[in-house]
Structures are given as C-alpha cells and as structure tokens.
Amino acid sequence: MLVIVLENASPRLRGRLAIWLLELRAGVYVGNYSAKVRDHIWSQVESGLGEGNAVMAWRVNNEAGFDFVVPLGQNRRIPTEIDGAKLISFLPLDNNNAL
C-alpha cells in the first residue's frame, strides 16, 4: 500500500498522480506499487510540487508496519527517530502564526 498526501499542489501534479494512483479525497492518493515505481512517482512529486507540500508513506515489514519519507515543502512536521521508531515531531510556531 502506498499513500501520498498533497497540500497546495498544482492541478498538473494532481492529474499526473491520478494516472497511477486513486484519489480518495482531494490530495490523498493510494495505490500498490513496487519500490521502483514508488520512487519514480515520488520523483514526479518532487519535480512538480512547487509551493505545496507532500508526504508519502508505504507498507513495510517493520514494527510500525509502514515507513515514510521526509515531508517535502514548508511544513511544521519533521521526522524523528527514537529507539528505532520513526515518529513525527513539530517545529514551534513562529511569531506570525502564534495563537
């Protein structure tokens, strides 16, 4: 299983992903491909993302059952590894976005 989530992506990139993957909701794509095809699809995301952001996760045989790539684009979420487990931590809000 492969999942890609896009935010603020161009219609061109969204259409390109729709060729390979099923778009369940706006910006949420799923499919089931080999590692080689997965890498090719991610390279298309990297080259066409522009100002948006994206993350990709896929099924692997580990304790969590999945792995993911570092999110592309501006995003507060960053991957952190703790005791061999890959987790997500958040960068602090800047002064312009403080609540």
Side-chain angles (χ1 to χ4, degrees):
M1 175 68 73
L2 166 67
V3 178
I4 296 177
V5 179
L6 301 178
E7 292 179 336
N8 301 322
S10 70
R12 178 184 172 127
L13 176 58
R14 292 181 63 191
R16 191 157 191 82
L17 287 181
I19 292 171
W20 296 299
L21 305 166
L22 177 64
E23 186 174 14
L24 295 179
R25 292 199 147 226
V28 179
Y29 298 86
V30 297
N32 192 17
Y33 290 102
S34 68
K36 183 176 181 178
V37 175
R38 182 183 68 227
D39 292 342
H40 174 73
I41 292 171
W42 189 245
S43 72
Q44 297 293 309
V45 172
E46 288 176 323
S47 65
L49 190 59
E51 297 292 319
N53 64 67
V55 66
M56 177 174 66
W58 63 93
R59 183 175 169 14
V60 294
N61 192 15
N62 64 15
E63 286 185 26
F66 67 92
D67 197 4
F68 60 92
V69 292
V70 176
L72 287 177
Q74 190 171 19
N75 194 318
R76 287 188 53 225
R77 293 168 176 87
I78 57 170
T80 304
E81 192 168 320
I82 298 175
D83 293 333
K86 207 171 185 184
L87 304 171
I88 294 290
S89 63
F90 289 84
L91 294 173
L93 288 171
D94 62 13
N95 291 336
N96 296 331
N97 293 332
L99 298 176

